[in-house]
RNA sequence: GGCCCCGUAGCUCAGUGGAUAGAGCAGAGGUUUCCUAAACCUUGUGCGCAGGUUCGAUUCCUGCCGGGGCUACCA
């Protein structure tokens, strides 16, 4: 470390402190204007490919060469000269490298000070410099696990994605409402009812209710193969549930209620929560579907099929002139008069946008003051509700349901709700599958020629969410300072594992990978945070102005770059609705911090007060930024592990 | 058949219209009188194939090959 200037840097108000990249884009655009470049031209400014080129580079001259009919290097030189003359803040020098890149070299004192000031602002006020969020509420539906079995890691992937998307949107200034849809009138719940009533399977002593139902579900599914009489019983159950007001309906509702509580408990372990539970039976019971049906029928969006294999069904035909097949005809009301899942989903989607002209009644959920539930009976003492009426709806549902989701969107269009159809987002993600190793560990046969096996609650091919977390806790307990820390870190580790994959990538689940505690894992991020917090405990804040030394260690510069990139990472994650962008960012930040930690001298031993203060400030900025990223990912940011 | 997704290093995966495509794991070797070694360092001949668009393609387009999913009066 070289000695440090003590020139104080005056803190800038946040709104006058754009990201360096934004500043450079504007500067380059000005330079292009000055050079007489006409027309709209997207200015690209990105981190330089190699440190010796500079900090930021633009290939603008490359694209302009053809338009201007001049050599790229000559254009670049002209741009660089103009930029040099215009004295762009935070930039020390501009250079040109072949074949025509213009590179900005930052002035560490002004640039570094700006980055630290922004991060300090994040720490003290929690504010981040972000573009203004779109107006109106975003409704996120996620989890929606069928209430007939214990949640497995496929359901958990859904919940982690949905919860993180909701967090990211809130963090970027959006109003968000989270719904968890309970499909309590569907086939899967009926399966368990049939099993309990007709198979005589009893709970084992101490067996959790959701696991008991899983067992019944597997058993009854297997029995259907040989016992068609049971399928009749299932039809009976479904009919009685649809009609309501009978013993079966009460039985089902109670079963679903108990499973939902098990799911909520599981998800709570991962810090996943909801604003509202929406019950499919309430959509039926309160006439939502009847209302939606009338709207669809009157508009001609659905028709009654007179003959053929779909005779007696109400269907939504394919888009006109799309093709001549009936592949795209979706049955909404079966010939027995029962609405399909998709039909109820259409009614629900209309409600989400406030287009149905009806509302649920609401009650607090089983004594949880933070969670509400839809209800058929109104409660006079219920607090005023403000659910639905969203501007944008995000349904977190796996990729296999793309088709019914398209039907829901199409229904909105057929009802001339074009804007709402455009704002209906199926946030599709791929499923979780088991690697051969994981399958072997579970004693599951893997099909010849396959390199993975799909999860299936029905066949008992699954890793329960609770079990995975328990195993992760067990793995971490040996090195954690206490049980609470192990639990918090384990939940974060599992979340990170399920979030770090791109949404359209099938997760090839592997126990070793999911439970690993080194490398690109949630544990690594949390450990980095604890390290930063540890340094801050040992190096007190002298309360002096932060001044950036004239010469920084490369690891310090990289760390500053990583810290500065946070608002953009958040914004892009929110824009793309893709949590893996944020995990990738967080890992890069933690890596940059580890590099700094390992390759610069210990701060506790630093005698130069100014250097000491700066480096402490750098650690404080890192900690605040990493903590914010971790919390946005739904992970704990422990000060000690 | 139609529609959607995937194919990048031994394995699991990032990545992007720009300069020499990255990380983790696995394997080998190394680092601890120093703020937590759950860390760090060294070690890598890889974008399925073929065309096209472009100053520039792993990225965009088309075709093909391989894998998966959807195309139910299930969800």
């Amino acid at each position: 470390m070289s000695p440090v200037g003590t020139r104080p840097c005056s803190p800038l108000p946040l709104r006058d402190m754009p990201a360096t990249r934004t500043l450079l884009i504007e500067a380059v655009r000005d330079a292009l204007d000055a050079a007489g470049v006409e027309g709209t031209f997207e200015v690209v400014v990105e981190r330089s490919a190699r440190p010796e080129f500079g900090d930021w580079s633009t290939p603008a001259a490359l694209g302009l060469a053809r338009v201007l009919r001049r050599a790229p290097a000559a254009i670049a030189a002209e741009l660089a000269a103009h930029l040099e003359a215009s004295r762009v803040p935070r930039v020390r020098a501009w250079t040109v490298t072949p074949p025509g890149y213009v590179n900005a070299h930052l002035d560490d004192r002004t640039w570094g000070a700006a980055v630290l000031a922004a991060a300090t602002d994040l720490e003290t006020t929690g504010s981040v410099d972000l573009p203004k969020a779109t107006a109106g509420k975003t409704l996120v539906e996620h989890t929606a696990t069928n209430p007939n079995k214990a949640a497995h890691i496929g359901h958990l992937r859904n919940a982690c994605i949905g919860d993180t998307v909701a967090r990211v949107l809130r963090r970027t200034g959006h109003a968000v409402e989270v719904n968890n849809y309970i499909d309590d009138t569907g086939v899967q719940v009926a399966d368990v009812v049939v099993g309990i009533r007709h198979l005589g399977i009893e709970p084992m002593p101490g067996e959790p209710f959701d696991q008991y139902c899983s067992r019944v579900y597997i058993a009854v599914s297997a029995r259907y193969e040989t016992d068609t009489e049971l399928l009749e019983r299932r039809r009976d159950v479904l009919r009685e549930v649809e009609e309501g007001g009978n013993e079966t309906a009460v039985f089902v509702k109670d079963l679903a209620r108990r499973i939902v509580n098990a799911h909520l408990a599981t998800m709570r372990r991962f810090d996943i929560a909801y604003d509202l539970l929406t019950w499919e039976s309430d959509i039926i019971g309160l006439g939502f579907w009847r209302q939606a049906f009338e709207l669809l029928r009157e508009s001609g969006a659905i028709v009654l099929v007179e003959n053929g294999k779909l005779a007696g069904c109400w269907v939504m035909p394919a888009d006109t002139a799309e093709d001549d097949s009936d592949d795209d005809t979706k049955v909404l009301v079966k010939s027995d008069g029962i609405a399909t899942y998709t039909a109820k989903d259409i009614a629900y989607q209309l409600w989400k946008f406030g287009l149905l002209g009806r509302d649920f009644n609401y009650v607090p959920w089983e004594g949880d003051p933070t969670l509400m539930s839809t209800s058929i009976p109104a409660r006079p003492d219920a607090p005023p509700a403000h659910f639905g009426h969203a501007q944008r709806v995000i349904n977190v549902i796996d990729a296999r349901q793309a088709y019914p989701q398209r039907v829901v969107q199409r229904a909105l269009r057929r009802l001339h709700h074009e804007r709402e159809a455009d704002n209906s987002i199926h946030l599709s993600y791929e499923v979780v599958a088991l690697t051969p190793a994981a399958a072997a560990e579970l004693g599951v046969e893997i099909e010849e020629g396959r390199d993975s096996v799909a999860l299936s609650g029905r066949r008992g091919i699954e890793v329960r969410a609770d079990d995975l977390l328990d195993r992760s806790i067990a793995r971490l307990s040996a090195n954690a300072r206490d049980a609470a820390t192990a639990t918090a870190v384990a939940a974060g580790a599992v979340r990170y594992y399920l979030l770090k994959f791109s949404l359209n990538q099938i997760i090839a689940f592997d126990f070793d990978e999911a439970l690993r505690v080194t490398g690109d894992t949630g544990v690594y991020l949390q450990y980095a945070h604890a390290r930063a917090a540890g340094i801050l405990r040992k190096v007190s804040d002298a309360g002096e102005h932060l001044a950036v030394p004239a010469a920084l260690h490369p690891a310090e510069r990289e760390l500053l770059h990583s810290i500065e990139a946070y608002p953009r990472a958040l914004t892009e994650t929110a824009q793309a609705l893709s949590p893996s962008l944020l995990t990738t960012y967080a890992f890069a930040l933690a890596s940059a911090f580890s590099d700094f930690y390992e390759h610069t001298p210990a701060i506790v031993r630093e005698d130069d007060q100014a250097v000491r203060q700066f480096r402490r400030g750098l650690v404080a900025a890192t900690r605040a930024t990493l903590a914010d990223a971790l919390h946005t990912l739904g992970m704990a940011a422990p000060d000690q592990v």
Side-chain angles (χ1 to χ4, degrees):
Chain A
M1 290 309 302
S2 55
V4 150
T6 51
R7 187 186 61 175
C9 50
S10 53
L12 300 164
L14 197 58
R15 61 184 155 282
D16 294 334
M17 198 153 44
T20 302
R21 178 173 165 275
T22 309
L23 209 98
L24 297 178
I25 288 172
E26 286 164 7
V28 171
R29 187 170 287 137
D30 288 346
L32 290 172
D33 286 344
V37 177
E38 291 176 3
T40 50
F41 187 84
E42 198 203 347
V43 174
V44 173
V45 173
E46 60 207 354
R47 286 298 307 286
S48 304
R50 302 168 67 181
E52 55 265 41
F53 293 150
D55 289 296
W56 293 91
S57 302
T58 177
L62 269 45
L64 249 42
R66 194 172 146 87
V67 186
L68 301 180
R69 297 189 176 186
R70 293 175 55 199
I75 301 168
E78 190 181 320
L79 284 177
H82 184 275
L83 287 160
E84 192 77 60
S86 58
R87 298 182 175 280
V88 180
R90 298 182 208 170
V91 177
R92 163 171 65 78
W94 294 90
T95 58
V96 173
T97 45
Y101 286 91
V102 177
N103 314 297
H105 302 254
L106 299 181
D107 173 62
D108 291 344
R109 290 191 180 179
T110 52
W111 164 65
V115 173
L116 291 186
T120 302
D121 205 67
L122 170 68
E123 177 157 41
T124 55
T125 70
S127 72
V128 176
D129 192 20
L130 296 166
K132 232 181 158 50
T134 50
K137 177 163 70 181
T138 299
L139 193 157
V140 179
E141 177 204 317
H142 68 79
T143 308
T145 309
N146 271 307
N148 72 326
K149 59 182 172 297
H152 63 54
I153 51 174
H155 307 121
L156 187 60
R157 184 183 194 185
N158 180 305
C160 289
I161 291 167
D163 184 64
T164 302
V165 163
R167 287 169 185 266
V168 169
L169 291 175
R170 285 190 173 123
R171 188 69 187 94
T172 50
H174 296 79
V176 176
E177 172 185 323
V178 176
N179 288 12
N180 183 5
Y181 184 51
I182 313 298
D183 177 15
D184 62 334
T185 70
V187 172
Q188 298 201 22
V189 192
D191 286 334
V192 174
V193 173
V194 170
I196 290 174
R197 285 183 172 173
H198 300 284
L199 262 48
I201 301 171
E202 295 293 328
M204 296 187 292
E207 184 179 35
F209 186 69
D210 56 341
Q211 293 184 28
Y212 163 64
C213 288
S214 288
R215 207 154 52 80
V216 173
Y217 182 47
I218 293 163
V220 77
S221 297
R223 190 69 79 84
Y224 286 143
E225 306 279 331
T226 55
D227 190 346
T228 50
E229 178 71 9
L230 273 186
L231 290 168
E232 285 299 325
R233 300 287 78 76
R234 180 169 76 181
R235 265 189 284 276
D236 295 342
V237 171
L238 285 171
R239 200 194 60 251
E240 289 178 69
V241 167
E242 181 94 358
E243 285 166 0
N246 53 57
E247 190 194 338
T248 299
V250 172
F251 184 87
V252 165
K253 183 81 181 191
D254 186 60
L255 187 150
R257 183 188 61 77
R258 295 175 69 181
I259 295 280
V260 165
N261 276 329
H263 290 169
L264 291 174
T266 298
M267 296 310 168
R268 201 175 297 122
R269 298 180 77 192
F270 295 94
D271 205 12
I272 295 166
Y274 314 87
D275 299 309
L276 180 67
L277 302 178
T278 40
W279 294 77
E280 194 176 43
S281 55
D282 293 346
I283 284 177
I284 296 295
L286 290 168
F288 279 27
W289 166 242
R290 208 160 48 239
Q291 174 84 1
F293 175 82
E294 285 306 320
L295 292 171
L296 289 163
R297 193 179 54 78
E298 284 166 14
S299 73
I302 60 172
V303 294
L304 180 63
V305 179
E306 304 278 335
N307 43 42
K309 64 172 183 172
L310 297 180
C313 299
W314 284 89
V315 304
M316 185 180 307
D319 285 323
T320 49
E322 211 171 59
D323 58 354
D324 53 358
S325 75
D326 60 357
D327 277 6
D328 208 24
T329 297
K330 183 68 189 168
V331 172
L332 296 183
V333 181
K334 299 186 275 185
S335 54
D336 62 5
I338 294 178
T340 61
Y341 178 91
T342 303
K344 300 163 197 172
D345 216 14
I346 290 169
Y348 184 22
Q349 190 80 356
L350 288 167
W351 171 83
K352 287 173 177 175
F353 282 112
L355 296 172
L356 199 63
R358 291 181 184 230
D359 201 358
F360 294 105
N361 294 309
Y362 301 96
V363 294
W365 179 252
E366 309 225 345
D368 180 347
T370 65
L371 178 61
M372 297 292 284
S373 170
T374 63
S375 162
I376 291 182
R379 247 176 61 169
D381 60 328
H386 43 268
F387 298 108
H389 295 91
Q391 171 82 21
R392 176 170 63 149
V393 171
I394 297 172
N395 294 328
V396 182
I397 305 175
D398 76 55
R400 295 172 304 186
Q401 295 193 48
Y403 171 59
Q405 280 294 296
R406 271 200 305 277
V407 173
V408 170
Q409 191 179 37
R410 192 196 301 161
L412 261 55
R413 264 188 227 294
R414 297 276 172 91
L415 293 172
H416 308 294
H417 298 306
E418 288 292 334
R419 188 179 60 81
E420 287 80 4
D422 291 341
N423 288 329
S424 295
I425 298 167
H426 171 206
L427 188 60
S428 170
Y429 65 94
E430 275 294 349
V431 296
V432 180
L434 300 174
T435 57
E441 188 164 339
L442 297 171
V444 172
E445 294 271 332
I446 193 156
E447 246 178 86
E448 185 70 27
R450 286 222 166 214
D451 51 14
S452 71
V453 54
L455 295 177
S456 167
R458 185 184 296 274
R459 292 163 60 201
I461 303 173
E462 61 184 6
V463 177
R464 281 198 295 265
D466 281 319
D467 290 352
L468 180 62
L469 179 54
D470 289 341
R471 287 179 65 161
S472 184
I473 291 169
R475 172 74 64 93
L476 288 160
S477 289
N479 292 321
R481 60 200 312 270
D482 55 41
T485 303
T487 302
V489 174
V494 172
R495 270 186 84 121
Y496 184 83
Y497 175 76
L498 292 173
L499 290 172
K500 74 177 191 174
F501 297 86
S502 303
L503 294 179
N504 47 19
Q505 189 74 246
I506 294 173
I507 295 182
F509 180 85
D510 182 80
F511 281 104
D512 291 341
E513 271 295 309
L515 297 172
R516 199 158 47 74
V517 300
T518 61
D520 183 8
T521 63
V523 178
Y524 178 92
L525 306 192
Q526 291 170 313
Y527 182 72
H529 181 271
R531 258 186 170 173
I535 293 172
L536 297 177
R537 275 195 303 276
K538 299 201 170 176
V539 184
S540 60
D541 185 354
E544 295 170 15
H545 257 313
L546 286 183
V548 180
L552 296 181
H553 189 282
E556 294 173 327
R557 302 192 84 253
E558 277 312 306
L559 188 50
L560 281 169
H561 274 301
S562 274
I563 292 166
E564 186 180 28
Y566 182 53
R568 189 176 174 214
L570 260 187
T571 310
E572 291 188 341
T573 304
Q575 202 273 325
L577 303 173
S578 179
S580 67
L581 295 182
L582 193 53
T583 59
T584 301
Y585 166 79
F587 179 63
L589 175 62
S591 297
F593 177 68
S594 292
D595 194 36
F596 161 84
Y597 178 88
E598 293 285 346
H599 300 111
T600 59
I603 302 171
V604 283
R605 305 180 135 210
E606 179 61 60
D607 292 328
D608 185 319
Q609 272 309 308
V611 172
R612 192 179 163 99
Q613 270 307 104
F614 162 71
R615 304 192 68 229
R616 186 197 183 280
L618 188 53
V619 174
T622 304
R623 196 214 58 77
T625 306
L626 189 52
D628 202 80
L630 286 170
H631 290 144
T632 306
L633 288 166
M635 298 164 65
D639 285 344
Q640 298 181 60
V641 296

